[in-house]
Amino acid sequence: MIAAAAPSTGRRPYRIVQWATGALGRSAIRGVLDRDDMELAGVWVHTPAKEGADAGALAGRDPIGIAATRDLDDILALDADCVVYAPTPAQDRFADLDTICALLASGKNLISLCGLVYPYAHGPRYVGDLEQACKRGGTSVHGSGVSGGFMADVMPLVLSRLSRRITHVYTRECSDFARHPSWRMVHGMLGFGKTEEAYQRALRPNRAAMRAMFAESLHLVAAGLGVDLDEIDVDVDYRLAGTDLVTAAGPIPRGTVAAARWTFSGLAGGRPVITVEVVHKADAARMPDEWGSPGYSLRVNGRPSLMLSVDEDWLTDVISAASGHALNSVPAVCAAEPGIRTYLDLPMISGRMHV
């Protein structure tokens, strides 16, 4: 594969819409403002308090004269090349499908930072709606990221180039949320700070949501290795805080849930062939080292077998990395044929050198 070509000198900048302005969205806006091959066309925000705010100010920069909107129709009416889609992930993958399809049908390519790395994992109806929207708009849809969209799927496939007779692929992610500022993420989505009984009551919907999220990575790896998965098995274990924990997102009282390990196993031929293990810790420094330290481990069992491990310092800023991955993908996604375009369909994505 060859690197995605930079736009020619005579091409106008890519016009980018930022959908949602959480930490990821604000980072993406700053990334657009710092690039000479892109310009911000519009911004959608979720909360009423941000409506009408200047997009530059939302991102911690000087005002740029673009007011944020909560109206989908305002965004649909814009002349833009690509939407960087970065809302909080919905538990139900179909919940925001109509919005995504409307954006695609309006003639805007879309790069998601909350899924869509392999939409085929969600079945023919989901895929059909996306493909029809892309056909109407002449657009492409792509999923990107750091965990899903890179470490859990793209990197194992890159490693697999060096091996033959592959029998099993394993990835492990351990994340420390001590400095994560979002109450909604830490307490709401992960369930930290809940009593054991409350956490167990929420497990059924959370299990379905987590399965939907990581099934995409499992199926992407399987497709890249030429294997069809029969099913995906999900297992979860959790631990309670042995002492009161103070995190950026608020307190985690002693005796409440403070860590969880999710294991997703893709089965083929009656055995696990692809395993993704995801460990979340409220404060790794003040908890037992059970389930490993923050970082990533990748293993490809084959001839030869390969292993790659990195600690939490492998990346200086995960938010900036995720938004950078999305923005670096814009030229390739905009140049692609209309439809669903995964990592397997696009040329190699690279960053841009600053001299």
Side-chain angles (χ1 to χ4, degrees):
M1 293 189 292
I2 59 174
S8 61
T9 305
R11 190 199 188 287
R12 68 171 176 82
Y14 294 99
R15 288 177 54 77
I16 308 299
V17 170
Q18 179 54 47
W19 188 276
T21 57
L24 272 175
R26 295 193 300 272
S27 178
I29 291 173
R30 292 191 292 271
V32 171
L33 297 179
D34 289 341
R35 293 182 64 136
D36 57 11
D37 64 337
M38 294 181 185
E39 63 184 21
L40 197 65
V43 173
W44 182 91
V45 291
H46 175 72
T47 59
K50 293 181 179 180
E51 187 171 19
D54 187 274
L58 285 174
R61 296 287 182 86
D62 293 334
I64 58 175
I66 296 176
T69 181
R70 297 178 67 223
D71 192 332
L72 171 61
D73 289 336
D74 290 345
I75 300 297
L76 297 180
L78 289 173
D79 172 24
D81 298 296
C82 190
V83 176
V84 176
Y85 191 76
T88 300
Q91 282 196 326
D92 178 4
R93 285 293 169 181
F94 284 86
D96 55 359
L97 183 59
D98 287 346
T99 297
I100 291 171
C101 287
L103 292 167
L104 291 167
S106 74
K108 299 169 185 62
N109 300 285
L110 185 143
I111 299 174
S112 172
L113 282 165
C114 54
L116 297 178
V117 299
Y118 200 75
Y120 306 101
H122 306 306
R125 177 192 156 197
Y126 195 86
V127 168
D129 286 356
L130 287 174
E131 290 284 8
Q132 289 178 22
C134 289
K135 184 176 180 180
R136 289 196 300 271
T139 52
S140 299
V141 58
H142 174 69
S144 181
V146 171
S147 181
F150 192 72
M151 290 300 281
D153 33 50
V154 174
M155 279 300 292
L157 289 174
V158 171
L159 287 180
S160 75
R161 298 178 184 183
L162 303 181
S163 186
R164 58 188 176 88
R165 296 185 62 84
I166 295 168
T167 57
H168 185 254
V169 172
Y170 165 86
T171 69
R172 173 188 164 276
E173 167 195 352
C174 180
S175 300
D176 181 8
F177 285 85
R179 295 186 298 275
H180 199 293
S182 172
W183 174 279
R184 185 176 181 183
M185 168 67 77
V186 175
H187 293 260
M189 295 184 64
L190 300 183
F192 291 168
K194 290 185 176 182
T195 65
E196 188 170 10
E197 293 75 18
Y199 187 83
Q200 289 178 341
R201 284 197 301 271
L203 265 184
R204 184 171 182 178
N206 286 347
R207 187 189 298 269
M210 291 288 284
R211 184 190 186 281
M213 183 183 303
F214 286 94
E216 294 190 9
S217 292
L218 286 147
H219 280 285
L220 176 57
V221 173
L225 297 179
V227 62
D228 294 323
L229 297 181
D230 299 324
E231 61 177 307
I232 294 176
D233 183 59
V234 181
D235 182 64
V236 59
D237 197 3
Y238 58 89
R239 294 290 183 266
L240 306 180
T243 185
D244 291 339
L245 302 175
V246 178
T247 73
I252 310 292
R254 178 181 179 181
T256 63
V257 174
R261 179 179 65 178
W262 293 83
T263 304
F264 308 90
S265 300
L267 308 179
R271 66 176 182 86
V273 293
I274 303 169
T275 301
V276 174
E277 186 177 273
V278 181
V279 176
H280 298 144
K281 296 184 178 184
D283 187 346
R286 300 187 63 198
M287 299 175 69
D289 200 28
E290 183 184 21
W291 300 336
S293 301
Y296 287 89
S297 294
L298 313 177
R299 185 173 67 242
V300 176
N301 291 335
R303 295 183 181 175
S305 292
L306 309 161
M307 174 172 271
L308 175 66
S309 296
V310 294
D311 61 23
E312 61 181 338
D313 294 330
W314 79 283
L315 189 59
T316 59
D317 186 345
V318 67
I319 298 297
S320 180
S323 63
H325 193 187
L327 295 179
N328 286 330
S329 303
V330 166
V333 173
C334 289
E337 290 296 316
I340 295 170
R341 294 292 171 255
T342 74
Y343 161 80
L344 302 175
D345 305 306
L346 297 178
M348 185 179 72
I349 306 299
S350 61
R352 301 173 77 240
M353 180 69 73
H354 179 75
V355 179

